[in-house]
Amino acid sequence: MLSNVPISAIRAFEAAARTGSFRDAANELHLTPSAVSHAIRKLEETLRTVLFERSARSVRLTPAGENLMRHTGAAFDQLRRGLEEVAARGPQLVRVHSAPSFAAQWLAPRLAQFLAAYPKLEVRLAASTDYARFSNDDFDIDIVYGPPRAEGVEVAPLVEETVTPLCAPALARSIKKPIDLLEQTLIRSDVKQVQWHQWFAANGMEAPALHGMRFDRSFLAIATAAEGLGVALESTLLAERELSSGRLVAPLADCANDIRYVGHRLTYPRASRQRSAVRAFADWILAQLGVENPGSSHRDPTVRPNLAGTKQAKG
């Protein structure tokens, strides 16, 4: 059956099914609408089934068409990815995966600086909680939250982060000492390695029962705290912009024991270090954070109290 179906007809079907229009498919494929219609009609004749319900203004997939599109769409996605990956073998592209909050709060706002320093390079950034699987060659670099899981990779622990209560300035006026937090709405980040009970323990207190807002991303907790809806226990690295602008402050920076830990790590396959684009990006991000280059020996400290407090977090 496959040998009887021209690839051009399948391509026309996929474009029409994806765009929902023979005309849009024709524009994308640089064909005429009648050519797309004819190709799809020939495909229907070959398959002996109707793939589209046609009307004067639109086309809609039939159940058979939807079934075919599930397979065809996935196949073309794979083909596009393969072509992009092969095209990405040149020195101009670096494909970066990152933990979502680090990407949104720290990395994305600085990409303009990187591109200004390296105008011939291109960055493709993806963010999710899934770790990059370098074995499928989707990414060159991963910035992970927590310990890396991939084998055969270079690992550079990033800067030690300070985790401290953060809130809007108006709310901070009523927070002078740790016990004042018991009267506040405490915002939780469910997946964060440092939780409220650890911070209260570091300050000689028992954590209260927590009720109210919970988030699975730090950038959501930071945004909510900046709106004045409660106090978030968050990294001053991730909240750097909000602290600099004054939207957030650290009310207990001078009078409490905060938590310091290494939360994020930069990882990449050792072989990728040979690519100039990967090397440039890795060197740049580590230099921004004042961290040694990959390949050096790195101390990877565990979570520990910062008994000296964290004056630099006060905003």
Side-chain angles (χ1 to χ4, degrees), residues 1-67:
M1 174 66 72
L2 185 59
S3 62
N4 297 327
V5 179
I7 189 66
S8 58
I10 299 176
R11 189 181 181 202
F13 165 78
E14 187 273 341
R18 176 165 40 80
T19 62
S21 166
F22 286 3
R23 183 176 298 277
D24 290 345
N27 290 335
E28 180 179 304
L29 300 176
H30 305 291
L31 299 172
T32 64
S34 61
V36 170
S37 178
H38 179 72
I40 293 173
R41 184 72 70 184
K42 293 291 292 184
L43 179 61
E44 290 176 322
E45 292 174 359
T46 302
L47 298 178
R48 298 180 181 178
T49 189
V50 177
L51 300 173
F52 288 96
E53 295 178 0
R54 296 161 172 85
S55 67
R57 295 186 177 181
S58 65
V59 294
R60 186 173 61 181
L61 287 170
T62 64
E66 291 177 353
N67 187 16

Side-chain angles (χ1 to χ4, degrees), residues 144 148 150 153-157 265-268 270 293-296 298 300:
V144 303
V153 297
E154 293 285 355
V155 179
R265 294 160 176 82
L266 183 146
T267 71
Y268 56 84
R270 294 188 179 98
N293 289 341
S296 304
H298 296 280
D300 193 353

Side-chain angles (χ1 to χ4, degrees), residues 108-128:
R110 288 173 171 78
L111 283 181
Q113 298 176 29
F114 174 78
L115 296 175
Y118 298 91
K120 294 183 179 181
L121 298 186
E122 176 186 351
V123 176
R124 184 182 305 156
L125 176 61
S128 73

Side-chain angles (χ1 to χ4, degrees), residues 119-256:
K120 294 183 179 181
L121 298 186
E122 176 186 351
V123 176
R124 184 182 305 156
L125 176 61
S128 73
T129 55
D130 296 328
Y131 285 52
R133 291 178 294 176
F134 295 119
S135 58
N136 64 11
D137 201 33
D138 279 349
F139 297 102
D140 301 305
I141 287 175
D142 194 9
I143 301 167
V144 303
Y145 181 64
R149 300 173 185 174
E151 297 181 356
V153 297
E154 293 285 355
V155 179
L158 299 185
V159 67
E160 194 173 57
E161 301 176 41
T162 298
V163 179
T164 188
L166 302 175
C167 65
L171 198 59
R173 298 189 189 106
S174 59
I175 303 173
K176 304 299 182 183
K177 49 190 179 298
I179 197 171
D180 294 335
L181 291 175
L182 302 181
E183 304 299 321
Q184 302 294 331
T185 297
L186 302 183
I187 300 170
R188 284 178 285 176
S189 297
D190 285 340
V191 299
K192 200 164 192 66
Q193 295 180 53
V194 179
Q195 294 291 327
W196 276 111
H197 71 272
Q198 293 167 283
W199 188 90
F200 277 108
N203 286 275
M205 299 172 60
E206 183 176 346
L210 298 179
H211 305 284
M213 289 171 288
R214 300 173 59 173
F215 300 98
D216 64 349
R217 301 287 185 273
S218 284
F219 69 83
L220 295 174
I222 290 170
T224 302
E227 293 298 324
L229 299 180
V231 183
L233 183 66
E234 281 298 339
S235 162
T236 58
L237 177 70
L238 297 183
E240 191 173 73
R241 287 184 303 164
E242 289 78 5
L243 289 167
S244 296
S245 67
R247 294 187 67 213
L248 285 177
V249 296
L252 300 176
D254 292 319
C255 56

